[in-house]
Amino acid sequence: MAKAGSTEANHLPRPAQHVAIIMDGNGRWATQRGWPRLVGHRRGAERVREIVRACPNLGIRYLTVYAFSTENWKRSTEEVLGLMAIFARYIDREADRLLAEGVRLRFIGDRSRLDPKLQKMMAGIEERTAKGTRLDFTVAINYGGRDELTRAIRDMAREVAEGRLKPEAISEAAVTAHLDTADLPDPDLVIRTSGETRTSNFLPWQTAYAEYEFTPTLWPDFTAHELGQIVARFGNRERRFGGVVHG
Ligand code: IPE
Ligand code: IPE
Ligand code: MG
């Protein structure tokens, strides 16, 4: 909690500690070229590699990306299975690189609906990279903010029913602790690519005070250079958190 009246720090440019990205526009990127949507998703996965590598140099300590929402099951079976295959291949191919770069990879979202083989790979790479300290990289798969809150409420209700949690003890901190992101600080900055200006059920609780940046760039065209520009702009924004900035 910030000290009352200590607002000067808000004037100083400082890096975004936690950047969250809604990686959107893969489908349009491919369609514009007359290619199947999955080609765009593959290209999108390659961008992730570059962005992950760039983060530590930009002062970013936490990176969270939205890869598959609870609503994305509405897409064709071909696209859904293709995306799942891309996730599996990413884990398989990137494990050594992430380990070498000191990246800790974790997942948020409801994994129970995913292929057990993929779930096993996810748990495996989380365990293998658990000691990474340069970047906490979190991938949201089958993630939906409402679903996450619903699961958290269900867990808390169960604890109350079993006498392990008192209703009076349900504070904001207690809710935060029951979310998939319990171990992560709130994002400072959310970036959405592809020109859409909505949040699509991404981290609603955690982004209550986040800054948003929307760029028309389609995700497969998003570069570390553009990330650097956005992060630099963020450093000059004045964040008030409901207070008053004097001067
Ligand atoms: C984002 O790209 C990736 C996922 C949602 C899985 P889209 O697939 O949503 O691309 P557009 O929005 O159709 O261009
Ligand atoms: C949001 O993109 C989800 C991900 C980037 C994974 P969508 O393309 O699914 O969102 P809508 O449908 O445009 O809101
Ligand atoms: Mg989209």
Side-chain angles (χ1 to χ4, degrees), residues 129-146:
T129 62
K131 293 202 167 72
T133 55
R134 278 185 86 223
L135 178 72
D136 269 279
F137 177 38
T138 305
V139 180
I141 298 183
N142 193 24
Y143 175 87
R146 289 182 174 181

Side-chain angles (χ1 to χ4, degrees), residues 23-29 37 41 66-69 72 75 79 83 87 192 194 196 218-219:
M23 310 184 289
D24 198 13
N26 295 348
R28 274 163 284 170
W29 184 90
R37 293 175 59 84
H41 293 314
Y66 204 4
F68 192 89
S69 76
N72 288 147
R75 299 188 180 197
E79 184 168 350
L83 280 163
F87 302 148
R192 183 168 188 152
S194 89
E196 309 296 347
L218 301 176
W219 176 253

Side-chain angles (χ1 to χ4, degrees), residues 135-187:
L135 178 72
D136 269 279
F137 177 38
T138 305
V139 180
I141 298 183
N142 193 24
Y143 175 87
R146 289 182 174 181
D147 177 67
E148 178 189 40
L149 278 163
T150 304
R151 287 186 282 108
I153 290 165
R154 197 182 298 137
D155 286 348
M156 287 188 289
R158 196 172 291 129
E159 289 171 29
V160 169
E162 291 169 0
R164 291 185 285 129
L165 179 66
K166 289 201 175 76
E168 310 81 70
I170 300 179
S171 57
E172 290 188 11
V175 174
T176 298
H178 282 82
L179 298 176
D180 297 350
T181 52
D183 297 332
L184 303 174
D186 286 344

Side-chain angles (χ1 to χ4, degrees), residues 4 29 34 37-39 49 53 64 120 122 124 143 145 178 208 218 231:
W29 184 90
R37 293 175 59 84
L38 277 171
V39 176
R49 180 186 304 152
R53 176 172 283 174
T64 300
K120 219 170 143 195
M122 289 159 69
Y143 175 87
H178 282 82
L218 301 176
V231 166

Side-chain angles (χ1 to χ4, degrees), residues 85-242:
I86 288 169
F87 302 148
R89 197 165 46 220
Y90 180 89
I91 293 172
D92 211 34
R93 286 197 185 162
E94 294 302 306
D96 290 343
R97 193 193 309 261
L98 295 173
L99 211 54
E101 290 175 1
V103 178
R104 178 175 192 180
L105 174 59
R106 280 180 286 185
F107 300 91
I108 54 171
D110 180 2
R111 330 182 166 194
S112 64
R113 201 172 156 187
L114 304 176
D115 180 347
K117 217 173 117 195
L118 178 60
Q119 289 185 43
K120 219 170 143 195
M121 292 177 79
M122 289 159 69
I125 195 159
E126 284 180 331
E127 203 184 306
R128 264 192 85 193
T129 62
K131 293 202 167 72
T133 55
R134 278 185 86 223
L135 178 72
D136 269 279
F137 177 38
T138 305
V139 180
I141 298 183
N142 193 24
Y143 175 87
R146 289 182 174 181
D147 177 67
E148 178 189 40
L149 278 163
T150 304
R151 287 186 282 108
I153 290 165
R154 197 182 298 137
D155 286 348
M156 287 188 289
R158 196 172 291 129
E159 289 171 29
V160 169
E162 291 169 0
R164 291 185 285 129
L165 179 66
K166 289 201 175 76
E168 310 81 70
I170 300 179
S171 57
E172 290 188 11
V175 174
T176 298
H178 282 82
L179 298 176
D180 297 350
T181 52
D183 297 332
L184 303 174
D186 286 344
D188 306 289
L189 172 64
V190 181
I191 299 168
R192 183 168 188 152
T193 58
S194 89
E196 309 296 347
T197 49
R198 53 179 170 267
T199 62
S200 300
N201 207 6
F202 189 43
L203 304 173
W205 174 277
Q206 299 88 337
T207 58
Y209 259 102
E211 301 283 330
Y212 280 84
E213 282 274 348
F214 300 97
T215 167
T217 306
L218 301 176
W219 176 253
D221 291 328
F222 190 78
T223 58
H225 178 71
E226 185 171 358
L227 176 64
Q229 290 176 324
I230 292 174
V231 166
R233 266 205 304 278
F234 167 86
N236 291 317
R237 284 193 187 192
E238 181 187 89
R239 300 180 80 196
R240 297 183 184 170
F241 300 102

